[in-house]
């Protein structure tokens, strides 16, 4: 159960060179939302867009491919995408909303649909929820410390940040690469991440991440009927190049390993909290 319920799992990447040029990996989120916008499946998508500060995302409602392209790439810091759900339906007047987020944000989306307290008219307008793999996240000040203090780079000079092969990586516009061991980053993690028992966004319609596939590709879990319908149509339209996940390395074995490690580690945090009276309400939501 560490990978959640899913209908299909594949290795995939966008066939759009413009999307891939600035994508974190396979460009799955950008491509799927771009297709859904073009076909009228969604009216707009809530994504982590750019802000006035480098690498500090700001949630936006993207209604064009250009806006989706501007939001490409993983930010590794907090973007409160859920905060725009109500505004997307009211201020923007959207009837079919797409939203991308981390596992905890996917939980919030589903809770808003089940218990729409303060979210009147929102639940039935969520047309496509895409989740991203997440081990932990960093507050903006922590990301700034990792890049500027540990990597010795200016935030505004960095074009891409990545986590892989046991290291935190930062790439500059001029081609320089800095790396630090992941063990250095642990003290900078957001404490709230340590109670999360989901690595692969179990509750999304489609979830995706780089783990399990070669560079430039992404692992994709198609989880729901809604997700399957959109994914199948996008594939039929030639939006993606795909491979059987069983035929790529390192494959689902690594995804399962990391998902298990996250759940095992964070369950210890939950068990410890239960001993001093805060265990209630922190049960595993996937059981």
């Amino acid at each position: 159960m560490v990978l959640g319920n899913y209908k299909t799992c594949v290795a995939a990447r966008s066939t759009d060179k413009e999307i891939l040029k600035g994508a974190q990996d396979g460009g799955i989120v950008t491509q799927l939302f771009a297709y859904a916008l073009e076909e009228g499946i969604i009216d707009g998508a809530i994504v982590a867009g750019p802000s006035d500060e480098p690498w500090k995302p700001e949630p936006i409602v993207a209604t064009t491919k250009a806006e989706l392209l501007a939001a490409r790439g993983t930010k590794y810091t907090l973007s409160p995408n859920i905060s725009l759900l109500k505004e997307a339906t009211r201020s923007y007047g959207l009837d079919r909303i797409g939203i991308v987020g981390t596992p905890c944000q996917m939980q919030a989306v589903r809770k808003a649909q089940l218990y729409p307290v303060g979210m009147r008219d929102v639940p039935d307008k969520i047309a496509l929820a895409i989740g991203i793999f997440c081990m932990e996240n960093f507050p903006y000040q922590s990301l700034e410390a990792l890049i500027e203090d540990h990597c010795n780079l200016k935030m505004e000079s960095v074009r891409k940040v990545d986590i892989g092969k046991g290291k935190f990586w930062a790439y500059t516009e001029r081609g320089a690469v800095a790396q630090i061991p992941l063990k250095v980053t642990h003290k900078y993690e957001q404490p709230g991440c340590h109670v999360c028992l989901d690595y692969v966004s179990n509750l999304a319609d489609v979830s995706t991440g780089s783990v399990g596939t070669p560079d430039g590709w992404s692992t994709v879990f198609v989880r729901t009927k809604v997700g399957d319908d959109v994914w199948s149509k996008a594939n039929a339209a030639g939006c993606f190049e795909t491979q059987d996940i069983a035929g790529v390395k390192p494959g689902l074995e690594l995804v399962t390993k990391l998902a298990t490690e996250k759940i095992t580690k964070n369950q210890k945090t939950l068990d410890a909290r239960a001993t001093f009276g805060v265990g209630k309400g922190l049960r595993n939501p996937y059981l």
Side-chain angles (χ1 to χ4, degrees):
M1 290 300 293
V2 297
L3 300 182
N5 296 318
Y6 61 92
K7 295 175 178 290
T8 309
C9 181
V10 296
R13 64 182 176 187
S14 170
T15 55
D16 187 324
K17 293 181 179 179
E18 185 181 17
I19 287 176
L20 286 178
K21 187 177 179 180
Q24 186 75 14
D25 298 291
I28 306 302
V29 177
T30 305
Q31 178 67 84
L32 202 55
F33 277 153
Y35 171 78
L37 271 176
E38 182 180 341
E39 296 299 313
I41 296 169
I42 60 173
D43 303 319
I46 301 173
V47 296
S51 72
D52 294 334
E53 297 185 66
W55 293 98
K56 187 173 186 179
E58 184 174 298
I60 63 168
V61 178
T63 56
T64 66
K65 183 178 178 180
E67 290 173 325
L68 290 173
L69 291 175
R72 285 172 295 180
T74 304
K75 312 302 191 297
Y76 289 108
T77 189
L78 313 176
S79 180
N81 290 0
I82 305 302
S83 66
L84 273 186
L85 265 178
K86 188 186 295 185
E87 187 175 350
T89 64
R90 297 181 183 178
S91 301
Y92 289 80
L94 304 187
D95 292 319
R96 298 177 296 273
I97 306 166
I99 186 168
V100 61
T102 55
C104 57
Q105 290 174 324
M106 289 298 103
Q107 283 190 40
V109 168
R110 300 313 185 195
K111 286 181 179 179
Q113 290 180 299
L114 286 171
Y115 310 106
V117 178
M119 285 282 191
R120 181 170 50 87
D121 299 328
V122 172
D124 61 343
K125 293 182 179 178
I126 298 171
L128 179 61
I130 303 179
I132 51 180
F133 297 0
C134 181
M135 184 66 77
E136 63 269 320
N137 214 325
F138 304 101
Y140 183 70
Q141 292 85 349
S142 293
L143 185 64
E144 194 172 34
L146 290 171
I147 292 175
E148 298 209 337
D149 297 341
H150 290 276
C151 293
N152 198 28
L153 298 172
K154 291 292 185 182
M155 293 284 280
E156 55 269 23
S157 73
V158 174
R159 68 169 179 83
K160 184 176 182 178
V161 177
D162 202 3
I163 291 177
K165 302 174 183 176
K167 295 179 181 179
F168 176 97
W169 305 78
Y171 303 83
T172 72
E173 295 286 356
R174 297 178 62 84
V177 181
Q179 56 178 276
I180 55 176
L182 270 186
K183 64 181 181 181
V184 174
T185 71
H186 293 326
K187 67 179 180 180
Y188 293 102
E189 295 164 3
Q190 177 174 271
C193 294
H194 298 157
V195 300
C196 177
L197 300 176
D198 184 2
Y199 175 62
V200 289
S201 288
N202 294 346
L203 300 182
D205 294 312
V206 176
S207 60
T208 183
S210 64
V211 173
T213 47
D215 291 344
W217 291 73
S218 298
T219 299
V220 178
F221 289 99
V222 181
R223 299 190 178 278
T224 67
K225 185 177 183 299
V226 168
D228 191 36
D229 183 56
V230 178
W231 180 258
S232 297
K233 290 177 179 176
N235 265 296
C239 293
F240 297 103
E241 179 183 357
T242 64
Q243 298 182 56
D244 188 335
I245 194 67
V248 301
K249 298 294 183 182
L252 284 186
E253 183 178 349
L254 181 59
V255 184
T256 303
K257 177 177 180 290
L258 292 181
T260 302
E261 286 180 1
K262 177 177 181 178
I263 293 169
T264 302
K265 179 180 70 173
N266 290 352
Q267 186 62 55
K268 292 178 181 178
T269 303
L270 293 175
D271 293 342
R273 288 190 173 199
T275 64
F276 52 89
V278 294
K280 188 175 182 182
L282 292 176
R283 63 178 178 80
N284 186 340
Y286 307 107
L287 296 179

